[in-house]
Amino acid sequence: MVKSYNEYSNHNMRRPIVKPEIVGLMRGEQKALTGFLAEVETFAHAENIPVIPHETVVYFQFLLQALQPKKILEVGTAIGFSALLMAQASPDAKITTIERNPEMAALARENLAKYDTAQQIEVIEGDAIDVLSALPDGYDFAFMDSAKSKYIVFLPEILKRLSVGGVVVIDDVFQGGDVAKPIEEVKRNQRGIYRGLHKLFDATLTHPDLTATLVPLGDGLLMIRKNANQIDLV
């Protein structure tokens, strides 16, 4: 059994914020995964390890095939599912993915040893803020799916390393709809995440040098395009 996520699972991420019948349609009618990606996804579901839901999977396939990034940065590897998905959709890309949980990093490396045959993906184990500060620039796509309260901490470091015109996608920003509530109605143990996400929204959604949009897939995506070389987040 994989212990990490079974002990500390955030169940808010399991509450999609659109109508259940629409979620069912998106998950049931769109093209299913096959091969090793289906195997990794099945393992994640069996072990209660959160991976991006199928509607987000299909969207990522479309988005990455359209953008064709060459240098991708990911914060939050888990077992390597999203990194493998991005590699398949962007066969010319090199991917750097950061994971602080040793159990997840070990599982990710096992999966990459089996399935990353083109050796597109590098896993770096460590705390994201420390790893990011040592990375070079020149990334043209980034994906964050990690500690939700830390998104606002990690984002400035990612933007420094993102080329102008690059895109950042941030997962699970709606917290099952909690972000739309007054903070008094949010469980006390979720309020740190709530505050962090609202700081993220305040810093990005109306920033003059960013194009940002909220997308209601899964538990919500925040998508950001970097439009200037120097980005100062308040």
Side-chain angles (χ1 to χ4, degrees), residues 80-210:
F81 173 72
S82 52
L84 287 164
L85 175 73
M86 291 189 289
Q88 187 182 76
S90 305
D92 296 327
K94 291 295 184 182
I95 300 170
T96 302
T97 181
I98 304 167
E99 177 57 54
R100 70 174 183 174
N101 182 323
E103 186 181 23
M104 292 297 102
L107 286 167
R109 290 190 177 103
E110 288 180 17
N111 283 328
L112 299 185
K114 289 188 287 186
Y115 304 128
D116 181 26
T117 55
Q119 298 184 331
Q120 292 175 252
I121 305 165
E122 177 189 13
V123 179
I124 302 177
E125 187 177 336
D127 190 275
I129 198 65
D130 298 326
V131 175
L132 287 168
S133 64
L135 291 179
D137 58 12
Y139 292 94
D140 46 7
F141 187 86
F143 178 47
M144 271 204 286
D145 188 6
S146 58
K148 316 311 169 193
S149 61
K150 296 289 185 70
Y151 284 161
I152 187 58
V153 178
F154 300 153
L155 182 61
E157 295 299 319
I158 289 175
L159 288 173
K160 286 178 186 177
R161 286 150 186 84
L162 197 71
S163 300
V164 174
V167 172
V168 184
V169 179
I170 306 176
D171 198 21
D172 298 321
V173 297
F174 289 166
Q175 286 295 286
D178 279 0
V179 290
K181 299 176 182 177
I183 193 169
E184 296 78 15
E185 295 180 16
V186 176
K187 292 180 181 178
R188 289 187 180 276
N189 65 354
Q190 297 293 314
R191 289 182 184 179
I193 295 175
Y194 178 98
R195 292 188 184 98
L197 289 172
H198 276 279
K199 288 179 182 178
L200 180 70
F201 297 156
D202 291 343
T204 59
L205 290 178
T206 59
H207 195 288
D209 294 322
L210 301 173

